[in-house]
C-alpha cells in the first residue's frame, strides 16, 4: 500500500487570516480517513489545497505520489470531489450537469444511472428548483459517477434526510470495498466513526490529533439523562469510573457525562432500578475537543 | 481549448447575446433608415452650430455631420455603440471568471480534469466569438440594408469597420477579462473598467479645451476609434491597429497569467 494523500507541513493563510497551519498527514491507499473538526477549523481549506484550487502559503501536498499544483488536471481525473457548500449552475438541469461533467472528464459516467436511481433524483429539473438536499444529491452523483480512485467528500450528507444519508454511506462503503480511498471531511463525530478507520482531528487550523477510530470510540463522551420512576435512589450512580458532571434535576432526574466504555457499567447499574426515561446522546464535538484534546495539549505544554 | 467549456459558455450567454445582438441590429437599421431623412435638414445645421465640445460630447471626432461618416459617428458609433458593446463584453468578461468564482461554480468545473490554461483560453475564445457577433450585428445591417437607403459601403470599408470595431471591442473585453481573472467577485472589476472608460471619455472631451487633458490623449483608448474616417475615407492609421491589437494581446496575456496563478475558491 502506498500513500494516496500526503500533506507535509501544509499551511495556508488568506492574507493575515489562517486557513490551516502546519498540517501533516498521510492517507494510505484503500483506507478511509476522516477529517474531523468544527466549522471553520480548516477542513475545506485543506481539501482545496489537495485539489489544487488554493496555493499553499508553505508546505506541500501530494496525491497519488504527485505534488499537487494549481494546474494538476491529470490528478483531478482520478479524484471524485463533493464540495461541502454545493454550488451548481442554477439555470441548468441535473441532466445537463451530469452530461457536462462527463464531457469535461472525456469519458462516459458508468455509475450515473445507478446513482440517480439509488438517490431517487430527478435529473430533469433545473437546479434553481431543487431543495438543498436534492442539490446535494446532484453533487454526489457528479462527484461519484466516474468511480474515482480517491473520494474527497466534504460534509457529503449535509442537507440529506436520514434515509438518503444511509444510502450515501452504503454507496461510499461499496466504493471503498472496491478499492477506493476515502477522505471524508465532517464535523459530525458519529458520521466519521461510522465510515472511517482513521481520523485526523483539526481545530483552529491545526491537526491536533490523528488516531484510529477504535481509539476515538473508546474515548467517547456521552451525555446521559436518567429519570427514575421514583425519587433518585441514594448513591445510584456513585463509584462509576468515567462518570462526571452528575447533576440532579428535580427529584427524579439526574444528568451526567460519561467517558468511553464506562457506558456498560452505567447501564448495568441502572438496570437495578426502575426507570421512567433514559437518554444517552453523543456529546458535541466541541465538548470532545475540550475534554480530550485541549486538555492533552495543555498537559503537553 | 475545451469545446465542452466553450459550448457551455455560449449556451449560458445565449440570451444576453441574443438580446444585445437584436438591439444592435435594430439600432443599425434605424440609423440606416434615418439617413435619407437626415441629409440636408436643418437639424444638421443646428448641430453644426453647436460648440465643438458639445458635439464631441455626442461622440463626434469633428467630422462633418453632413457626411455619412460624420452622421454615423455622431449619432451612433461614436458614443452609443461604444456604450452598448462595452457593457456587453464587460458583462461577458466578469461572468467568465469573477462571477463564477463568487458563485462557486468555478470550484465545480476546476475539480474536473481540465487545466486552468485550457479553461481561460476557452474563455478568451468565447470573448472573441462574442466580439465577432456583436460587431457583425452592428455593421452587417448597415451593409445589408444600406443600399435601399442611399448608403453604399465598399467591401473594404465594411471589412475595416468590422475588423477595427471588433478589435476595439476585444480590447475593452481583454482589459475586463484581465481584471476579472484575478477577482473574487464581479462588482469591483466592473466598477474599475466602467470608471476607467468613463474617465477616458471625460478626458477625451476635455482634451478639446485643455492641454493637460490633451497630454493623456495618446493613452486614451477611445481616441483611436474614428469610424467617420473609415466610412468617409476608408482610412485607418497603422498606429490604431497597433494600439488596439497591443492592448488586446497584452490584456489577454495578463488574464491568462493571473488566472493560472490565483486561488480559485
Amino acid at each position: 500500500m502506498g500513500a494516496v494523500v500526503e500533506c507535509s507541513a501544509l499551511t495556508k493563510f488568506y492574507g493575515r487570516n489562517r486557513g490551516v497551519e502546519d498540517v501533516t498527514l498521510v492517507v494510505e491507499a484503500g483506507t478511509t480517513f476522516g477529517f474531523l473538526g468544527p466549522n471553520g477549523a480548516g477542513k475545506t481549506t485543506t481539501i482545496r489545497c489537495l485539489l489544487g484550487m488554493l496555493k499553499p502559503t508553505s508546505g506541500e501536498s501530494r496525491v497519488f505520489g504527485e505534488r499537487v499544483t494549481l494546474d494538476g488536471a491529470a490528478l483531478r481525473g482520478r479524484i471524485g470531489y463533493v464540495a461541502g457548500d454545493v454550488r451548481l449552475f442554477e439555470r441548468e438541469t441535473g441532466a445537463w450537469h451530469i452530461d457536462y461533467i462527463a464531457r469535461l472528464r472525456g469519458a462516459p459516467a458508468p455509475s450515473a444511472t445507478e446513482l440517480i436511481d439509488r438517490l431517487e433524483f430527478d435529473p430533469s429539473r433545473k437546479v434553481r428548483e431543487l431543495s438543498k438536499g436534492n442539490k446535494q444529491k446532484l453533487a454526489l452523483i457528479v462527484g461519484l459517477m466516474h468511480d474515482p480512485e480517491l473520494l474527497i467528500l466534504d460534509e457529503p450528507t449535509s442537507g440529506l434526510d436520514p434515509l438518503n444519508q444511509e444510502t450515501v454511506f452504503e454507496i461510499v462503503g461499496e466504493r471503498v470495498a472496491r478499492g477506493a480511498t476515502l477522505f471524508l471531511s465532517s464535523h459530525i463525530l458519529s458520521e466519521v466513526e461510522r465510515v472511517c478507520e482513521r481520523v485526523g482531528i483539526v481545530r483552529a487550523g491545526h491537526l491536533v490529533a490523528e488516531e484510529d477510530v477504535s481509539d476515538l470510540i473508546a474515548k467517547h463522551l456521552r451525555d446521559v439523562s436518567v429519570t427514575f420512576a421514583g425519587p433518585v435512589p441514594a448513591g445510584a450512580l456513585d463509584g462509576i469510573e468515567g462518570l462526571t458532571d452528575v447533576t440532579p434535576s428535580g427529584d427524579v432526574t439526574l444528568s451526567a457525562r460519561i467517558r468511553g466504555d464506562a457506558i456498560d457499567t452505567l447501564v448495568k447499574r441502572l438496570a437495578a432500578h426502575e426507570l421512567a426515561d433514559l437518554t444517552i446522546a453523543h456529546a458535541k464535538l466541541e465538548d470532545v475537543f475540550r475534554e480530550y484534546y485541549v486538555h492533552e495539549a495543555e498537559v503537553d505544554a | 481549448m475545451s469545446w465542452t467549456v466553450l459550448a457551455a459558455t455560449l449556451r449560458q450567454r445565449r440570451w444576453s447575446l441574443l438580446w444585445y445582438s437584436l438591439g444592435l441590429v435594430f439600432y443599425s437599421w434605424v440609423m440606416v433608415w434615418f439617413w435619407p431623412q437626415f441629409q440636408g435638414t436643418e437639424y444638421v445645421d443646428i448641430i453644426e452650430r453647436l460648440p465643438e465640445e458639445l458635439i464631441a460630447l455626442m461622440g463626434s471626432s469633428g467630422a462633418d455631420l453632413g457626411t455619412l461618416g460624420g452622421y454615423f459617428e455622431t449619432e451612433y458609433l461614436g458614443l452609443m455603440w461604444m456604450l452598448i458593446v462595452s457593457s456587453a463584453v464587460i458583462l461577458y468578461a466578469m461572468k467568465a471568471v469573477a462571477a463564477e468564482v463568487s458563485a462557486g461554480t468555478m470550484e465545480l468545473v476546476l475539480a474536473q480534469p481540465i487545466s486552468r490554461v485550457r479553461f481561460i483560453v476557452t474563455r478568451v475564445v468565447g470573448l472573441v466569438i462574442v466580439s465577432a457577433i456583436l460587431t457583425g450585428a452592428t455593421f452587417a445591417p448597415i451593409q445589408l440594408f444600406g443600399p435601399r437607403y442611399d448608403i453604399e459601403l465598399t467591401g473594404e470599408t465594411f471589412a475595416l469597420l468590422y475588423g477595427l470595431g471588433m478589435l476595439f471591442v476585444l480590447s475593452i473585453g481583454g482589459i475586463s477579462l484581465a481584471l476579472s481573472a484575478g477577482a473574487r467577485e464581479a462588482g469591483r472589476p466592473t466598477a474599475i473598467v466602467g470608471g476607467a472608460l468613463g474617465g477616458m471619455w471625460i478626458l477625451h472631451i476635455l482634451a478639446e479645451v485643455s492641454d493637460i487633458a490633451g497630454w493623456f490623449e495618446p493613452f486614451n483608448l477611445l481616441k483611436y476609434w474614428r469610424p467617420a474616417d473609415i466610412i468617409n475615407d476608408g482610412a485607418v492609421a497603422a498606429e490604431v491597429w497597433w494600439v488596439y491589437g497591443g492592448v488586446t494581446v497584452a490584456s489577454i496575456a495578463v488574464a491568462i497569467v493571473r488566472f493560472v496563478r490565483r486561488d480559485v475558491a
Side-chain angles (χ1 to χ4, degrees):
Chain A
M1 280 201 309
V4 168
V5 175
E6 295 167 86
C7 295
S8 305
L10 185 70
T11 299
K12 175 66 184 175
F13 275 79
Y14 301 97
R16 289 181 178 179
N17 298 320
R18 183 188 55 218
V20 289
E21 192 168 7
D22 203 25
V23 169
T24 297
L25 59 85
V26 175
V27 181
E28 299 289 337
T31 62
T32 52
F33 184 85
F35 203 44
L36 188 66
N39 293 329
K43 304 186 297 293
T44 300
T45 297
T46 305
I47 285 174
R48 286 172 171 170
C49 287
L50 287 173
L51 290 163
M53 290 177 190
L54 300 179
K55 184 166 60 179
T57 308
S58 63
E60 66 168 26
S61 51
R62 290 178 175 270
V63 174
F64 297 113
E66 284 183 43
R67 187 163 192 247
V68 176
T69 63
L70 291 182
D71 218 19
L75 274 183
R76 292 197 295 269
R78 302 169 70 183
I79 301 172
Y81 171 53
V82 178
D85 181 16
V86 175
R87 304 288 190 88
L88 301 156
F89 294 94
E90 292 287 320
R91 292 182 181 181
E92 306 291 356
T93 64
W96 182 88
H97 280 83
I98 292 165
D99 180 60
Y100 183 49
I101 299 300
R103 286 173 188 272
L104 281 177
R105 288 187 167 259
S111 303
T113 309
E114 180 214 336
L115 289 167
I116 288 168
D117 291 343
R118 290 178 71 175
L119 291 169
E120 297 176 333
F121 177 72
D122 176 4
S124 66
R125 293 175 64 194
K126 289 193 173 180
V127 167
R128 66 181 172 202
E129 298 166 0
L130 299 178
S131 64
K132 185 177 188 306
N134 275 312
K135 286 179 184 174
Q136 190 69 30
K137 287 180 187 178
L138 179 55
L140 281 158
I141 291 166
V142 298
L144 303 179
M145 66 186 185
H146 285 89
D147 298 338
E149 297 166 62
L150 170 62
L151 311 180
I152 297 183
L153 311 181
D154 191 0
E155 318 263 0
T157 57
S158 165
L160 293 180
D161 60 53
L163 278 178
N164 280 305
Q165 287 184 13
E166 188 70 24
T167 308
V168 169
F169 288 130
E170 270 176 27
I171 293 166
V172 170
E174 289 165 15
R175 299 299 165 90
V176 170
R178 279 188 246 157
T181 305
L182 173 66
F183 188 98
L184 172 71
S185 157
S186 178
H187 65 275
I188 303 169
L189 190 58
S190 57
E191 193 170 277
V192 171
E193 284 174 356
R194 176 176 175 178
V195 184
C196 300
E197 299 159 335
R198 198 160 171 75
V199 62
I201 295 173
V202 62
R203 186 168 190 268
H206 293 271
L207 189 68
V208 293
E210 192 182 344
E211 57 189 317
D212 289 338
V213 163
S214 54
D215 294 337
L216 188 69
I217 290 172
K219 284 180 172 177
H220 249 167
L221 269 191
R222 294 183 180 88
D223 290 325
V224 179
S225 176
V226 188
T227 303
F228 293 91
V232 176
L237 301 182
D238 287 354
I240 299 176
E241 195 175 337
L243 191 74
T244 57
D245 301 340
V246 180
T247 312
S249 175
D251 294 336
V252 295
T253 302
L254 279 180
S255 61
R257 176 160 287 172
I258 189 158
R259 296 177 65 153
D261 51 11
I263 191 76
D264 182 58
T265 311
L266 173 71
V267 171
K268 284 174 179 162
R269 179 75 68 84
L270 290 174
H273 302 280
E274 191 178 347
L275 302 186
D277 197 8
L278 172 64
T279 307
I280 303 175
H282 288 294
K284 289 177 186 167
L285 191 55
E286 272 298 315
D287 293 331
V288 177
F289 283 130
R290 207 170 293 120
E291 186 75 15
Y292 296 103
Y293 304 110
V294 174
H295 177 66
E296 284 174 10
E298 284 167 0
V299 169
D300 290 345
Chain B
M1 213 271 291
S2 162
W3 290 107
T4 302
V5 173
L6 182 64
T9 303
L10 294 176
R11 175 189 159 85
Q12 284 157 0
R13 312 290 185 273
R14 66 191 187 281
W15 290 113
S16 64
L17 192 55
L18 178 70
W19 288 116
Y20 266 109
S21 299
L22 286 177
L24 286 168
V25 167
F26 180 71
Y27 206 147
S28 295
W29 177 79
V30 167
M31 286 293 104
V32 168
W33 169 79
F34 194 59
W35 168 242
Q37 299 163 66
F38 182 83
Q39 281 178 296
T41 60
E42 287 180 1
Y43 179 63
V44 178
D45 296 333
I46 292 168
I47 291 181
E48 285 186 338
R49 269 187 245 126
L50 293 172
E52 278 182 19
E53 295 78 20
L54 203 56
I55 296 177
L57 198 62
M58 296 164 74
S60 172
S61 62
D64 181 357
L65 193 60
T67 63
L68 183 64
Y71 164 72
F72 266 104
E73 185 172 277
T74 308
E75 299 296 328
Y76 182 27
L77 300 174
L79 176 60
M80 287 308 294
W81 178 77
M82 289 199 297
L83 287 175
I84 295 168
V85 294
S86 295
S87 69
V89 288
I90 290 170
L91 192 68
Y92 170 86
M94 295 310 153
K95 284 190 172 180
V97 181
E100 278 220 16
V101 171
S102 65
T105 47
M106 186 68 79
E107 188 174 2
L108 173 70
V109 175
L110 290 186
Q112 314 309 323
I114 177 168
S115 79
R116 291 192 184 200
V117 173
R118 269 185 86 194
F119 180 86
I120 191 69
V121 166
T122 306
R123 291 294 203 225
V124 171
V125 172
L127 175 65
V128 172
I129 292 171
V130 167
S131 302
I133 291 172
L134 293 174
T135 317
T138 305
F139 298 114
I142 298 174
Q143 186 74 337
L144 198 65
F145 303 126
R148 297 180 62 185
Y149 298 96
D150 202 19
I151 295 173
E152 296 283 351
L153 296 182
T154 64
E156 189 184 354
T157 303
F158 173 73
L160 282 175
L161 278 172
Y162 195 107
L164 195 67
M166 186 171 155
L167 209 50
F168 171 79
V169 177
L170 270 176
S171 65
I172 303 294
I175 293 168
S176 306
L177 194 61
L179 289 167
S180 173
R184 301 186 69 81
E185 47 84 35
R188 198 170 169 195
T190 304
I192 292 171
V193 182
L197 286 175
M200 284 186 200
W201 180 251
I202 290 166
L203 285 170
H204 188 50
I205 306 299
L206 290 177
E208 299 286 334
V209 291
S210 159
D211 289 340
I212 296 171
W215 181 87
F216 184 76
E217 276 296 86
F219 308 100
N220 194 330
L221 268 188
L222 306 184
K223 175 211 169 193
Y224 299 94
W225 173 240
R226 288 174 171 255
D229 293 349
I230 302 174
I231 295 171
N232 289 343
D233 309 323
V236 179
E239 63 167 0
V240 176
W241 294 103
W242 283 109
V243 168
Y244 286 137
V247 169
T248 300
V249 171
S251 58
I252 285 172
V254 169
I256 292 171
V257 171
R258 289 190 85 190
F259 184 72
V260 167
R261 291 181 173 183
R262 68 167 293 175
D263 288 343
V264 292

